[in-house]
Each structure stands twice: as C-alpha cells, then as structure tokens.
Amino acid sequence: VAKKSVDLIIEKADELATPYGGSSKPLVGTQMQRLRVIRDAAVAIKAGRIVAVGKSSVLRSRFSAARTVDAHGKTLVPGFVDPHTHLVFAGSREDEFEMRLRGADYMEIHSEGGGILRTVRETRRAGEAELVKNCLKTLDVMLKYGTTTVEAKSGYGLTVADEMKCLRAIQQAGKAHLVDVVPTFLGAHAVPPEYRQPEDYVKLVINEMIPSVARLKLAEFCDVFCEKGVFTVDQSKLILGVGRRDGLRPKLHADELTPLGGAELAAEAEAVSAEHLLFASDKGLQMMAERGVIAVLLPTASFALMIDRYAEARRMIELGVPVALGTDFNPACWVENMQLAMALACRQLKMTPAEALNASTINAAHALNRAHEVGSLEVGKKADVVILDAPNHNFLGYRFGGNLVSGVVKEGKLVEASQAT
Ligand SMILES: [Zn+2]
C-alpha cells in the first residue's frame, strides 16, 4: 500500500497527552482528570490540520512526510488556549506595583485615578499602529510559551472611538500573527472619569458602543467588570442583554474582589463563562453547573494582586462546573505564560496537572467557542501542537518559572522556541 504524503510528522515523542473527549461539551467533574496518553507517539499533519495521532511506528508505516521532527525525550500536548487576556493597551504600571508593595490596595489606587484609568489615559493617547505593535509583541511571547489561541478584550478606550480603535488593533494583530485571536468587547471595564453618573456611561455602552461593535463585527463576546464600585449586577445584566441582542455572547468578570452575586448573574444570563470567581457563592456555583457556565480561573491574577485568595477550584469541580484557566494578562498582571497559570493552579487551587492541562486546552477552547477547531490533538482539528522538553505532562505543574516549550506547531507551521529552560 502506498504511503500517504503529509507535510509534517512529529514522531518518537516519549508521551502525547491530550483531552479525552470534550470537543462537544466541556469536561466536568472526574472527566477533568482524564487524558488520552500515548507513549512513543506521533502526530501527522497536512495543510495545517491533524490527519493522524498514534504510535510512531504506526504513523511511519502509513505516511511519508515532507518534514519530520524527532520528539524523543519530549511530550506533545495541544497548543494552550488562553481564554482571558486584556491584550491591547499602552504604557505600563510598574510604579503602582511598588505602591502596592508599600501597602496600597487595588481599589485605593483605582479611586485615585490610577489602575485601569491610568492605562485608559495612555491607551487613548496611543495610535492604532502603536497598539497593534504592542499586541504583536505580546503574541510573540505567548506563542513561545505555547499559547496558540488567545482571547483579547478591549476596555482601555472607554469612548466609542477608542474602544473601536482597540478592537481594530486586536483584529489587525490577529490577522498579522500566527496565534488565533478571539475578540471580546469590554467597554464596561470601568466608568471613565468624565462621567459623573455611571448610568450615563452605561447608556453610551448600550446605545452606541455595542451597536457599533456589532455592525463592524469587531467582537464575538461582550464582557462586563461586575464589581463593587465598578458596574452593579443590574447594570451588568442590562449590558449583557443588549450585547446578546446584537449577537455578542455574554461573559462576565464575576465575584473577583467582593461577593456580589456575579456567579448567579452569569448563570441567569446564560453566559459562556464567568471569570475570577474568588468570592462566588455556593449557590452561584451550583447555578453555573446547571447551566454549563465555564469558570475561567486566573490564579496568576491573585498572585499578581497579592490578594491571598484563590478560586475554590476543587469545590467547582466537585459541583460539576467546567473549569478553564487563563492568564488575565493586563498591565497589573503582566504575564504571558499559561505554564505559570497551570503551576499556580496545581499549587494554589489544588488541581492536578491533568486537570490543569484540560482546563488550559479543551475547556478554555469552549470558553471561546473554539472547541470544534482547537483544544485537543484530534484528527481534523487545527494542528496546534506544543512540544514540551519534558518526559511527561506532569512536568507542567511540577517544573515552573521557566519555559518547558522547546517548539510550537501552529496550524502545521513549526515555530522554534528559544531554549529558555
Ligand atoms: Zn480580566
């Protein structure tokens, strides 16, 4: 029998570890612990898609490849999906970091015009080209750390023109870069200082911003920072409802710093996901489990903000809430590395490496409505493969602080990572 020709075979991997099922529905409960593991594994790739996954010997007998990568000593896992980032902004806030170390708290800095509002001023001043450049630089780093699909929220413009500028920058960066970028409109990230009445800004979001975003097809999701001193539950509900009317699927920053009923709202609004959830009530989590709302947990955000509290992932998994992990990349949590999110998830959320991997791949893909395309190493999906310089996937939680990635294949294209370990 003639061998079929393919573009690329990655072979002789010590291990291949990928979500076991989960492409049609997010993994919950004990499913999150399961992985499909193959020793001496290979992946065959053609035209940017996976055409076979299995034992090296079997794939070598079936396919002849234009290019072969020897992955001896390595582990193959799906490209990581980062479902929560504030990708587009200008400037930095390292001075506020120092203030926090001296004892100032996050909302204190926020109420003094720092925090988000500081970044809003700098982002408004920045041109679109500068913002695109910033995004591309970040995407380069993310890709080296193994992220092949990333969500990108607006939310540092807070005028109609500046929010559209940010979303266009996200769109341009996504077109120019190998990493897939999924845009989310987060006009309701903060009430800008020129609005004395939050209700007036909410009106701008629902009457002008959302219709513009929808008309220009600049986002797939609509998110709100539902938090004490930012947007109330009622305002959040209104905004998500209008977003849904205009075709933007709801997401919610919920119960991050205070218990506000964000998890309950996310369930009632049938949000795709609720994020952070440090103070989510048990009732809210049960409602999320019933509606299949994905909990996007961001342990790097707790770590960055030094708030000594982490989401109750074990309780969520026990209740049947699908759990995903993300970085929350933003100027107050400047981290591009999903491996660090996984290492913290293991240590602080007491998730196992297998759960952390499922949460960072297939469940994260569901949070972005991309599980049919990415998030697992399965025939027909995009050939997004991370080559880890490790003998098995448990190294993902175990070894941390560096970069375990020795190579990334994005839609069949091999990107060599710097040997950073
Ligand atoms: Zn966020």
Side-chain angles (χ1 to χ4, degrees), residues 50-124:
I50 296 171
V51 294
V53 174
K55 288 275 184 194
S56 289
S57 54
V58 174
L59 265 60
R60 267 202 305 274
S61 69
R62 286 177 57 201
F63 300 102
S64 67
R67 185 172 185 187
T68 303
V69 172
D70 185 336
H72 179 70
K74 310 277 203 296
T75 294
L76 308 181
V77 294
F80 305 135
V81 178
D82 187 345
H84 185 132
T85 88
H86 303 257
L87 183 72
V88 58
F89 62 86
S92 59
R93 306 210 305 257
E94 68 281 9
D95 48 351
E96 290 178 7
F97 173 60
E98 198 190 338
M99 281 170 66
R100 285 214 311 268
L101 294 176
R102 292 178 191 280
D105 80 23
Y106 179 81
M107 291 315 287
E108 201 179 313
I109 292 170
H110 185 84
S111 62
E112 284 167 12
I116 291 172
L117 298 179
R118 153 101 169 274
T119 301
V120 167
R121 287 194 297 277
E122 298 190 74
T123 303
R124 284 177 177 177

Side-chain angles (χ1 to χ4, degrees), residues 120-258:
V120 167
R121 287 194 297 277
E122 298 190 74
T123 303
R124 284 177 177 177
R125 276 200 294 270
E128 198 169 312
E130 182 188 340
L131 294 176
V132 173
K133 210 173 113 193
N134 291 352
C135 290
L136 292 174
K137 194 174 171 187
T138 300
L139 292 171
D140 280 345
V141 180
M142 288 175 164
L143 184 60
K144 282 180 186 165
Y145 280 104
T147 298
T148 49
T149 301
V150 65
E151 188 242 25
K153 301 177 194 295
S154 69
Y156 294 112
L158 310 186
T159 65
V160 177
D162 288 305
E163 282 296 301
M164 300 310 124
K165 176 179 75 177
C166 289
L167 287 168
R168 282 195 307 270
I170 289 169
Q171 188 180 56
Q172 284 185 53
K175 278 183 185 159
H177 206 280
L178 270 178
V179 171
D180 289 328
V181 180
V182 180
T184 293
F185 167 65
L186 179 59
H189 192 198
V191 178
E194 62 271 23
Y195 284 83
R196 291 268 167 82
Q197 296 299 326
E199 288 299 335
D200 293 336
Y201 182 67
V202 171
K203 281 182 192 148
L204 181 79
V205 170
I206 61 178
N207 294 332
E208 296 188 43
M209 288 184 180
I210 290 174
S212 294
V213 172
R215 192 177 59 248
L216 300 167
K217 294 192 186 339
L218 285 171
E220 295 180 29
F221 298 94
C222 179
D223 193 350
V224 178
F225 190 10
C226 179
E227 185 56 63
K228 194 175 157 207
V230 192
F231 294 96
T232 66
V233 168
D234 284 343
Q235 289 166 341
S236 302
K237 194 173 181 175
L238 177 65
I239 293 164
L240 293 183
V242 172
R244 180 194 282 282
R245 178 201 71 192
D246 284 1
L248 302 174
R249 303 180 72 192
K251 283 179 172 283
L252 191 68
H253 280 65
D255 302 318
E256 177 183 2
L257 304 170
T258 51

